[in-house]
């Protein structure tokens, strides 16, 4: 299966799962993230404010932003900039995808990011990640080589292998519901 076929298959599979079920299934995924030693030890963590078809992160962000420096990506043209999440009051609706993006100063010290929790369309058992095709995360992940990268996905998003390009950045770890 090529990247386009894989994205199409996963999109269809996501549509089969109601939002409330995605939220419930996300709880076990994010609980596993909380138990990772890299998360427990990290002070600065890059997360994401989830869209309806992604592993749900809103409650996780709310639970941890007082204890850790939580960063969220904001779309700026063809790039992602990072801003600190300080609670739901700091969010505004982003212009490109209609998801919550923090306001405030752009976080510049990328070398301070110790862990990154990354969404994806698909992952494989070799920790490879396939995104939506715009390359937002690949650029960001390349600029944070020392951060521990954790992909999060529903079980149906994990494949034995997925197509990989030279510019794709692999994860250090992938968390799904059953693993």
């Amino acid at each position: 299966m090529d990247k386009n076929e894989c994205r199409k298959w996963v999109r269809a599979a996501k549509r089969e799962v109601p939002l409330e079920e995605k939220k419930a299934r996300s709880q076990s995924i994010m609980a596993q993230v909380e138990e990772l030693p890299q998360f427990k030890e990290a002070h600065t963590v890059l997360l994401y404010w989830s869209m309806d078809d992604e592993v749900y992160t809103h409650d996780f962000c709310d639970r941890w932003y007082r204890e850790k420096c939580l960063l969220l990506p904001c779309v700026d043209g063809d790039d992602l900039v990072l801003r600190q999440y300080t609670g739901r009051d700091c969010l505004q609706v982003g212009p490109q995808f209609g998801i919550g993006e923090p306001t405030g100063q752009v976080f510049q010290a990328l070398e301070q990011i110790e862990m990154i929790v990354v969404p994806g369309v698909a992952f494989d058992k070799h920790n490879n990640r396939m995104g939506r095709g715009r390359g937002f995360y690949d650029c960001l992940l390349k600029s944070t080589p020392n951060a521990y990268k954790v992909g999060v996905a529903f079980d149906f998003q994990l494949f034995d292998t997925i197509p990989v390009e030279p510019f794709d950045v692999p994860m250090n770890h992938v968390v799904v519901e059953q693993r």
Side-chain angles (χ1 to χ4, degrees), residues 117-165:
V117 178
V118 186
V121 171
F123 296 89
D124 70 19
K125 294 180 179 177
H126 307 285
N127 294 333
N128 292 307
R129 173 187 174 273
M130 179 189 308
R132 294 180 187 264
R134 300 267 314 262
F136 284 125
Y137 272 97
D138 289 316
C139 293
L140 178 62
L141 295 171
K142 284 180 183 155
S143 64
T144 55
N146 297 323
Y148 191 78
K149 298 160 182 67
V150 178
V152 291
F154 301 109
D155 286 346
F156 60 81
Q157 293 176 269
L158 183 67
F159 295 82
D160 288 334
T161 59
I162 57 173
V164 179
E165 305 288 340

Side-chain angles (χ1 to χ4, degrees), residues 1-18 22 51-54 120-122 130-134 154 156-159:
M1 182 167 19
D2 70 17
K3 283 189 173 188
N4 288 332
E5 291 171 318
C6 185
R7 287 185 181 109
K8 185 177 178 180
W9 187 90
V10 171
R11 260 193 315 272
K14 285 179 176 182
R15 281 193 296 270
E16 296 294 315
V17 182
K22 285 186 199 112
M51 294 192 279
D52 286 350
D53 67 342
E54 295 174 323
V121 171
M130 179 189 308
R132 294 180 187 264
R134 300 267 314 262
F154 301 109
F156 60 81
Q157 293 176 269
L158 183 67
F159 295 82

Side-chain angles (χ1 to χ4, degrees), residues 62-80:
D62 288 339
R63 186 166 43 256
W64 286 102
Y65 79 89
R66 290 178 190 89
E67 295 182 43
K68 297 182 182 287
C69 175
L70 290 189
L71 305 171
L72 300 180
C74 304
V75 179
D76 183 21
D78 290 331
D79 298 312
L80 292 179

